[in-house]
Amino acid sequence: MRQLFVWMTGVCVGSVIASVQASEPATNSAINPDEVAAASVQISATRDPELKSYRQLLKGLNAYEAHIARAPDSVFRFLLIPQKPDVSLHDVGLRIVSDDSSIPIPVASDGGFTLPRDKKAETDNADLLTNQKKGSFRWRPEVRSAELAANTRRLGDLRLECEIRWAVEYDDLPFLRRNMFRAAGGPCHSSMITVIYFSPFKSSAVTLVSGERKMALTLAPDGLRYSPPLHEQSWNDDAVIVFDPVTQ
């Protein structure tokens, strides 16, 4: 069946690509699980701060719980990814803010954070705000099962990330584009939609492995972008994607 769309992981809401030409990604930083406290910078002092609806991100948390069978031993976080070279995660602060409340959220040194459930924040239609200007970061989900090597990703984890992102971004997509995705079966289940992911480092090859079965995945010339077969049920959730680093 002919490919119709490309959906890139980690892009800002509203910038999903509905063509077969993908834009250039921002370079991924290495994952560092060491968490640090949220910066004490006053977010309200930042003009035009980066924000996202708390209710919108809760849809991602709900999707994670609804599809947890894909990755039953996983940990789910959201990631803040700098959009510009001069944007640092060192001083980033993150809070859930409504008219009469402000809840600080710890941010890890790699930009990861866990979204708490807060009924009042949901009722108040709160926002998640950083102390950085709008456009400084993009957001994406990260699902990671336990005991995976640093150069691997589990297919079920990526499938679950796709479900989370689809839930979070659905309402913000343009009407026509949203319905095109739905008509094709949704980005996580259709052979007509190619979902682009970014490798953890620049790679020379990306291979999908399940027991003795192996399949080389197409890798973009930049060595960072690849597309796993999320829709192909002959590959089970425990299949592993192996990244071969570029050697100098």
Side-chain angles (χ1 to χ4, degrees):
M1 186 173 293
R2 186 170 63 90
Q3 173 198 16
L4 293 185
F5 314 115
V6 171
W7 201 43
M8 296 190 69
T9 62
V11 296
C12 297
V13 170
S15 62
V16 176
I17 299 172
S19 70
V20 294
Q21 296 298 322
S23 64
E24 290 299 319
T27 302
N28 280 18
S29 58
I31 299 297
N32 185 341
D34 298 329
E35 291 198 351
V36 295
S40 60
V41 179
Q42 292 296 318
I43 293 174
S44 59
T46 302
R47 294 188 61 187
D48 197 18
E50 188 72 49
L51 63 83
K52 199 169 189 68
S53 164
Y54 175 69
R55 287 180 182 173
Q56 194 172 3
L57 289 181
L58 276 182
K59 292 179 180 179
L61 186 55
N62 293 339
Y64 174 74
E65 294 173 354
H67 299 279
I68 189 63
R70 292 284 190 191
D73 298 319
S74 64
V75 173
F76 166 47
R77 307 184 302 164
F78 284 103
L79 289 177
L80 290 173
I81 302 174
Q83 281 283 70
K84 302 175 182 177
D86 59 346
V87 175
S88 172
L89 287 165
H90 178 70
D91 296 322
V92 67
L94 184 64
R95 289 177 179 270
I96 301 173
V97 179
S98 63
D99 289 340
D100 58 359
S101 67
S102 180
I103 305 170
I105 304 298
V107 180
S109 57
D110 66 343
F113 66 93
T114 300
L115 187 73
R117 287 192 180 274
D118 188 282
K119 190 62 179 178
K120 187 176 186 306
E122 183 178 5
T123 301
D124 292 345
N125 196 19
D127 289 313
L128 241 67
L129 269 66
T130 72
N131 59 342
Q132 307 294 319
K133 290 184 178 181
K134 187 175 181 179
S136 298
F137 295 98
R138 52 188 170 93
W139 310 66
R140 71 170 171 88
E142 180 193 63
V143 175
R144 287 190 173 269
S145 291
E147 300 180 358
L148 285 178
N151 70 323
T152 64
R153 293 298 310 271
R154 183 176 171 276
L155 186 58
D157 295 2
L158 299 186
R159 284 171 169 158
L160 187 44
E161 285 182 10
C162 184
E163 298 287 0
I164 294 165
R165 182 172 161 241
W166 179 233
V168 171
E169 297 190 2
Y170 180 85
D171 289 334
D172 277 346
L173 290 174
F175 177 80
L176 179 59
R177 189 173 298 167
R178 180 172 66 234
N179 285 337
M180 288 170 68
F181 279 170
R182 287 182 58 191
C188 310
H189 304 280
S190 175
S191 61
M192 300 171 68
I193 303 173
T194 296
V195 182
I196 303 297
Y197 286 80
F198 297 114
S199 62
F201 44 75
K202 192 168 185 177
S203 302
S204 59
V206 180
T207 308
L208 183 60
V209 180
S210 179
E212 298 299 318
R213 185 184 180 192
K214 296 183 179 181
M215 180 176 73
L217 301 183
T218 300
L219 182 64
D222 59 16
L224 293 172
R225 294 172 295 169
Y226 70 100
S227 177
L230 302 182
H231 67 282
E232 182 52 69
Q233 294 306 305
S234 65
W235 293 95
N236 63 38
D237 288 336
D238 288 326
V240 174
I241 298 163
V242 181
F243 304 93
D244 296 330
V246 172
T247 57
Q248 298 297 332

